[in-house]
Amino acid sequence: MTGRQTLTMIKPNAVKRNLIGAILHKISEAGYVIKAMKYMHLSKAQAGEFYEIHRGKSFYEDLTTFMSSGPIVAVILEKDNAVNDYRKLIGATDPKDAEEGTIRKLYAESKSHNAVHGSDSDENAKIECDFFFSKVERF
Ligand code: CMP
């Protein structure tokens, strides 16, 4: 059985462009319930820890600099088949490859400034939800 929760971040570029409302609207329309939400500015070390899985890759330094460049919104989303359906809703990592109507096609500027993050597996969704939220911050 697939998990019912996934973790998204609205990234600094999308926050700066005032897209929080538009992105949350697309998420609600797709049937997700918000279980937890935080508006925060990650330090470079925190961004590095969140993206630990990518440490050593060519884009890791730029990724962690970008993700700590301004506030983000972190959200736990719930519905059946949460991880896979959310990946469909946001579209491919690079907006050039994303399908019409997806969040990244609509709002991303580039592969690195791609508006939103979405967990890529149930296992990582749990790790990522636990990174941002304690038990008493989930409703
Ligand atoms: P995200 O879903 O947040 O997960 C890792 C991020 O690294 C990804 O979105 C991209 O924004 C960013 N990234 C930058 N360059 C690359 C790359 N060459 N391949 C994959 N991800 C990249």
Side-chain angles (χ1 to χ4, degrees):
M1 198 184 86
T2 58
R4 298 197 75 243
Q5 294 194 342
T6 191
L7 187 283
T8 190
M9 283 188 283
I10 302 176
K11 298 190 178 186
N13 62 319
V15 170
K16 276 187 194 118
R17 294 171 63 215
N18 210 16
L19 292 169
I20 297 172
I23 291 172
L24 289 178
H25 184 63
K26 290 283 289 178
I27 288 170
S28 312
E29 268 185 344
Y32 284 93
V33 172
I34 291 174
K35 300 299 287 181
M37 180 154 65
K38 248 176 214 183
Y39 184 51
M40 61 185 293
H41 192 149
L42 293 171
S43 67
K44 190 154 159 77
Q46 287 170 325
E49 192 188 334
F50 182 86
Y51 282 112
E52 187 62 39
I53 204 165
H54 296 301
R55 193 182 293 272
K57 294 187 183 158
S58 58
F59 58 85
Y60 180 77
E61 178 61 26
D62 286 350
L63 174 63
T64 55
T65 298
F66 168 57
M67 289 304 294
S68 56
S69 67
I72 56 108
V73 181
V75 194
I76 297 179
L77 300 173
E78 186 171 275
K79 84 172 198 61
D80 287 345
N81 202 28
V83 167
N84 290 336
D85 284 358
Y86 192 63
R87 289 174 71 76
K88 278 185 212 141
L89 180 66
I90 64 180
T93 306
D94 189 333
K96 286 203 268 322
D97 304 326
E99 281 186 33
E100 289 300 328
T102 59
I103 289 175
R104 285 174 171 157
K105 188 68 172 186
L106 288 166
Y107 302 125
E109 292 156 276
S110 64
K111 189 174 196 173
S112 55
H113 290 48
N114 62 355
V116 287
H117 167 80
S119 307
D120 66 1
S121 64
D122 288 337
E123 189 190 358
N124 283 335
K126 184 179 181 328
I127 294 167
E128 293 175 0
C129 291
D130 291 347
F131 177 87
F132 282 108
F133 300 101
S134 71
K135 265 189 225 163
V136 295
E137 294 172 313
R138 303 174 192 212
F139 308 100

